[in-house]
Amino acid sequence: MIGIYSIIQNKRTSALSIGFVFLVFFFIIFCNLENDVLNKVFNLNEISNIGSFPEGSLAKFLVQATFRFSLIILPMITLTIVEVINNIIGGTSPFSNTSIGRISFSKGYKYADLWFWSFGMLTALLRYKFTFFLVFFTLGTSRLSVGVEEWFNSLYVSALPSTSSSQFVAILIILIAILLTDLSFFIDHYLSHYVPFLWDLHEIHHSPTEMTIFSASRGTDLIASFTKFFTVPFSILSGLLLNQYLTQGFIIPVLIYIFFGTLRYIFEMVGHSSYQLIYPKPISYIFMSPSLHWIHHSSNPKHYNKNIGGFITLWDRIFGTYLDETHIKDISGYGVKDTQYNKFHPIYAATILPLVKLSKRIKYLIT
């Protein structure tokens, strides 16, 4: 009987994993609507234009903000439901072992993940609506970043051919662009771990002692100002290519981009949750299973600086930083021991503390 139950349980878990991927895939397609290029495919502005509100009115802003907020919240609700069902099947507490249930277990300020997430949502809204706040949160470095974006944009516009010879060639080009984008993320993330002043800023992301769907939001805008220069050239290239292929009616490269964007989002969300999702082989040889990100956040010294890549295992394998799912069992906890980011209120930790740590680092270097 135990053997039969085990088989049924494994099948249920497998079915749950497959169902989860499809559900999140559905929701992430809508999350991808935030991309300006994909707006042209799905016409986000038209979808969110509910009612005949005057342009620039508060009512229209609130409707559009609610619509966009739902695009963020729906995948989180879906994941929580999956976590609850998985816990019931596994015979554990349905809610206390979910991402939301584990928020209160994380060391440091009470419900810190929820604070970080809420503050992140607010600052994202302010950055999106008011340019001043973007400049403020990045100490003005965002202006330099915009200049770099414009320079690369003009460079690509003049260098890229106006048309691609065939959809097959377009597919190859977009796949190369995706690989280069993932490589840029790997380099960005690698430097964030090995360059001391960047680690001072990145450490906040490794401060949670529990993995929850909200912990991914722990971060500071300041680090993006320093590391964005590694990703901008490739993100600009991908955007221009997609825009070009849409104009030519090449839909397959766009769908490939959406697919990889979805995998990246699944990796980020599930990789910080309490739900263990390991892709079956041979898929796991190519794509980084979300739960391998637990190893990256592990407090086990053997796991430090491992699984740095975004969602493809290639770069970690090449640079010797890859650890597979067999190492998950060696995780005894998460986070950075005695990190300062857990000793203050999350809003202070997300805004002032990075500046304090950065100023100390600069003072150390010049004295």
Side-chain angles (χ1 to χ4, degrees):
M1 287 295 292
I2 295 176
I4 294 174
Y5 174 76
S6 178
I7 293 172
I8 293 173
Q9 187 182 34
N10 289 337
K11 286 186 176 180
R12 284 179 178 174
T13 304
S14 298
L16 192 63
S17 298
I18 295 171
F20 164 76
V21 170
F22 277 104
L23 279 172
V24 175
F25 185 82
F26 171 78
F27 287 127
I28 301 311
I29 285 179
F30 286 96
C31 286
N32 272 303
L33 294 174
E34 293 295 330
N35 186 291
D36 289 336
V37 176
L38 297 180
N39 280 344
K40 298 179 181 179
V41 181
F42 296 101
N43 202 351
L44 170 63
N45 294 325
E46 189 63 33
I47 294 173
S48 61
N49 233 347
I50 305 170
S52 54
F53 300 110
E55 190 66 35
S57 67
L58 177 62
K60 183 171 183 177
F61 170 73
L62 290 175
V63 168
Q64 291 183 335
T66 302
F67 175 75
R68 291 173 184 272
F69 180 73
S70 68
L71 297 180
I72 297 171
I73 239 23
L74 281 174
M76 300 178 76
I77 293 173
T78 303
L79 178 54
T80 302
I81 293 172
V82 170
E83 287 177 328
V84 168
I85 296 173
N86 189 58
N87 291 337
I88 293 173
I89 292 174
T92 60
S93 175
F95 185 74
S96 63
N97 286 322
T98 63
S99 293
I100 295 177
R102 300 188 73 84
I103 289 177
S104 60
F105 300 157
S106 194
K107 296 178 181 178
Y109 197 86
K110 195 71 171 178
Y111 301 111
D113 279 340
L114 201 54
W115 276 98
F116 279 114
W117 182 78
S118 301
F119 183 68
M121 290 288 292
L122 175 62
T123 55
L125 177 63
L126 292 174
R127 292 194 307 266
Y128 171 75
K129 201 66 181 175
F130 306 102
T131 306
F132 164 77
F133 284 102
L134 175 62
V135 176
F136 174 77
F137 286 126
T138 61
L139 299 181
T141 56
S142 61
R143 291 190 182 277
L144 179 61
S145 179
V146 169
V148 173
E149 288 182 19
E150 292 175 349
W151 184 80
F152 273 106
N153 187 74
S154 61
L155 177 67
Y156 289 144
V157 167
S158 61
L160 285 174
S162 58
T163 59
S164 180
S165 57
S166 68
Q167 185 151 223
F168 177 73
V169 173
I171 291 171
L172 290 178
I173 292 174
I174 202 67
L175 286 173
I176 292 172
I178 289 170
L179 281 174
L180 290 175
T181 299
D182 198 61
L183 174 60
S184 71
F185 174 85
F186 179 90
I187 296 172
D188 172 340
H189 199 183
Y190 187 92
L191 293 175
S192 296
H193 277 256
Y194 283 96
V195 177
F197 89 90
L198 290 179
W199 170 248
D200 287 340
L201 304 178
H202 184 62
E203 184 185 336
I204 187 175
H205 183 67
H206 285 263
S207 61
T209 58
E210 297 287 341
M211 298 299 282
T212 76
I213 51 180
F214 295 103
S215 61
S217 61
R218 292 201 187 201
T220 170
D221 286 311
L222 201 56
I223 190 169
S225 301
F226 292 107
T227 62
K228 194 175 181 181
F229 303 106
F230 298 103
T231 57
V232 161
F234 305 103
S235 60
I236 293 289
L237 175 61
S238 297
L240 288 174
L241 288 173
L242 286 171
N243 189 48
Q244 178 177 309
Y245 297 151
L246 281 172
T247 303
Q248 294 178 243
F250 291 170
I251 193 64
I252 295 179
V254 178
L255 294 177
I256 290 174
Y257 184 84
I258 293 175
F259 173 73
F260 279 98
T262 299
L263 285 180
R264 186 183 294 110
Y265 194 94
I266 290 175
F267 177 82
E268 180 179 355
M269 176 172 283
V270 185
H272 290 92
S273 74
S274 64
Y275 178 66
Q276 183 171 312
L277 179 60
I278 302 293
Y279 296 143
K281 293 180 174 59
I283 296 175
S284 61
Y285 291 130
I286 303 170
F287 299 110
M288 188 83 74
S289 293
S291 293
L292 294 186
H293 197 59
W294 294 355
I295 295 173
H296 181 70
H297 280 265
S298 171
S299 58
N300 186 335
K302 294 179 180 179
H303 298 163
Y304 290 173
N305 306 321
K306 301 297 183 181
N307 295 347
I308 293 173
F311 68 103
I312 297 174
T313 65
L314 175 64
W315 310 118
D316 279 291
R317 291 181 186 275
I318 290 175
F319 293 100
T321 55
Y322 178 74
L323 289 180
D324 64 22
E325 61 270 17
T326 61
H327 295 269
I328 291 178
K329 68 180 186 303
D330 299 323
I331 297 175
S332 56
Y334 301 97
V336 178
K337 185 179 180 181
D338 296 326
T339 176
Q340 284 188 294
Y341 286 108
N342 283 341
K343 297 178 180 179
F344 300 94
H345 190 284
I347 294 180
Y348 176 86
T351 56
I352 306 300
L353 186 54
L355 297 177
V356 172
K357 292 176 75 68
L358 196 59
S359 63
K360 288 183 178 179
R361 181 69 63 179
I362 293 172
K363 185 178 180 180
Y364 172 77
L365 290 175
I366 61 177
T367 56

